[in-house]
Amino acid sequence: MATKSFANDKYSILLPTYNEVENLPIIIWLIVKYMDDFGSPYEIIIIDDGSPDGTLEIAQKLQKLYGEDKILLRPREKKLGLGTAYIHGIKHSTGNFIIIMDADLSHHPQFIPPMIELQRKNNYDIVTGTRYINGGGVYGWDFKRKLISRGANFITQILLRPGVSDLTGSFRLYKKDVLQRLIESCVSKGYVFQMEMIVRARQFSYTIGEVPISFVDRVYGESKLGGSEIIQFIKGLVYLFATT
Ligand SMILES: Nc1nc2c(ncn2[C@@H]2O[C@H](COP(=O)(O)OP(=O)(O)O)[C@@H](O)[C@H]2O)c(=O)[nH]1
Ligand SMILES: [Mg+2]
């Protein structure tokens, strides 16, 4: 068997931000530390949606500090939602792999190298971080939030049998062409979007690997999950159940 060379692989890390002024310098520092150590080429694309807290100004300072080849700024005028933020980021990416993660420090960059290694080992189309198997975990969430997340995963497992343990997580590595095709085929907005991506991936017979991650609730800033998101999720689930 010929060994595949990974020398041409480049990783585009998409960081959507809305009011992450405290978190951004730390997450960037950590990504740079772990990716420089790992040694593969990468870029970080920050998609800020007009955060009123000055996230973009901090991002500009970080760009000066780390360099324009490493940090790309692709801001938008106003808050247009996560789904379109990803599409916007992909458009400007130069890597053949895309990593999607939150900027609020819930997703620790230490898990990026194991995700890349697992992808390489099995040539997976997608590797997703999982909080729900083999040493993964959730820290800092109250009972209600844990119940919502577990409940959403549990119901989806029963209805759609996607064979992946964490459907609502958003810390993932994708082959770029795979992500593009998935995003084009997804209809939902909001939190259900992450789940639909996995369900569609199964439909297209993409292969998916899982890396256990510990998810830590944000310390700074506010979550954007509200009651309407839960309703949206249930609607999306019923839709997928009826159509896939
Ligand atoms: N660009 C952009 N980023 C967003 C938007 N909504 C949330 N984010 C970012 O997406 C990530 C996840 O959001 P968060 O509120 O932490 O969701 P939660 O972890 O599920 O509570 C964070 O990095 C946010 O700053 C948006 O409308 N536009
Ligand atoms: Mg968060």
Side-chain angles (χ1 to χ4, degrees):
M1 201 176 77
T3 44
K4 191 178 178 303
S5 162
F6 302 109
N8 292 323
D9 288 344
K10 179 172 179 180
Y11 296 87
S12 300
I13 302 169
L14 305 189
L15 273 188
T17 57
Y18 191 76
N19 287 346
E20 302 291 2
V21 71
E22 296 99 336
N23 294 317
L24 197 61
I26 311 172
I27 190 83
I28 295 287
W29 188 86
L30 285 167
I31 292 172
V32 169
K33 172 177 139 79
Y34 283 95
M35 288 309 287
D36 281 353
D37 255 16
F38 189 74
S40 285
Y42 70 96
E43 65 191 0
I44 304 168
I45 304 177
I46 302 172
I47 306 120
D48 186 66
D49 273 2
S51 300
D53 73 347
T55 300
L56 186 57
E57 288 70 48
I58 291 294
Q60 283 158 347
K61 285 188 182 152
L62 292 165
Q63 189 184 41
K64 284 218 176 71
L65 198 63
Y66 292 103
E68 288 183 13
D69 54 325
K70 207 150 267 185
I71 305 215
L72 285 72
L73 307 182
R74 295 291 177 267
R76 301 188 297 176
E77 289 275 297
K78 57 177 197 280
K79 194 171 189 307
L80 295 168
L82 268 180
T84 58
Y86 294 142
I87 295 171
H88 185 71
I90 295 167
K91 239 184 262 163
H92 296 282
S93 64
T94 63
N96 54 332
F97 285 93
I98 308 268
I99 293 163
I100 286 178
M101 63 191 297
D102 293 353
D104 60 356
L105 297 171
S106 286
H107 297 154
H108 198 296
Q110 68 175 316
F111 299 112
I112 297 175
M115 286 166 93
I116 295 174
E117 271 156 11
L118 184 67
Q119 190 285 322
R120 289 180 175 180
K121 194 170 146 224
N122 298 311
N123 193 26
Y124 283 128
D125 296 311
I126 304 166
V127 172
T128 180
T130 176
R131 298 163 288 186
Y132 298 131
I133 53 162
N134 305 335
V138 173
Y139 301 90
W141 269 1
D142 60 13
F143 179 71
K144 187 178 152 215
R145 184 87 209 242
K146 277 186 183 160
L147 190 71
I148 291 169
S149 177
R150 281 278 188 180
N153 274 286
F154 182 72
I155 295 166
T156 309
Q157 296 294 351
I158 288 176
L159 291 182
L160 303 173
R161 307 215 166 270
V164 170
S165 63
D166 193 341
L167 300 159
T168 47
S170 52
F171 191 0
R172 293 177 184 160
L173 163 68
Y174 295 87
K175 288 179 182 168
K176 181 154 135 183
D177 52 330
V178 167
L179 180 60
Q180 257 158 345
R181 179 156 179 229
L182 282 173
I183 285 197
E184 280 165 19
S185 68
C186 280
V187 292
S188 52
K189 304 263 171 295
Y191 281 74
V192 71
F193 174 78
Q194 305 297 350
M195 183 260 285
E196 181 174 3
M197 294 280 277
I198 295 292
V199 172
R200 300 270 175 221
R202 283 296 183 214
Q203 249 186 342
F204 299 146
S205 303
Y206 288 135
T207 55
I208 308 172
E210 299 189 87
V211 165
I213 60 160
S214 38
F215 175 102
V216 183
D217 192 24
R218 57 162 73 246
V219 175
Y220 300 107
E222 272 169 25
S223 163
K224 287 102 204 169
L225 180 79
S228 67
E229 285 287 357
I230 297 165
I231 306 284
Q232 286 276 88
F233 186 90
I234 294 165
K235 278 191 191 156
L237 184 64
V238 170
Y239 172 79
L240 284 175
F241 181 61
T243 58
T244 59

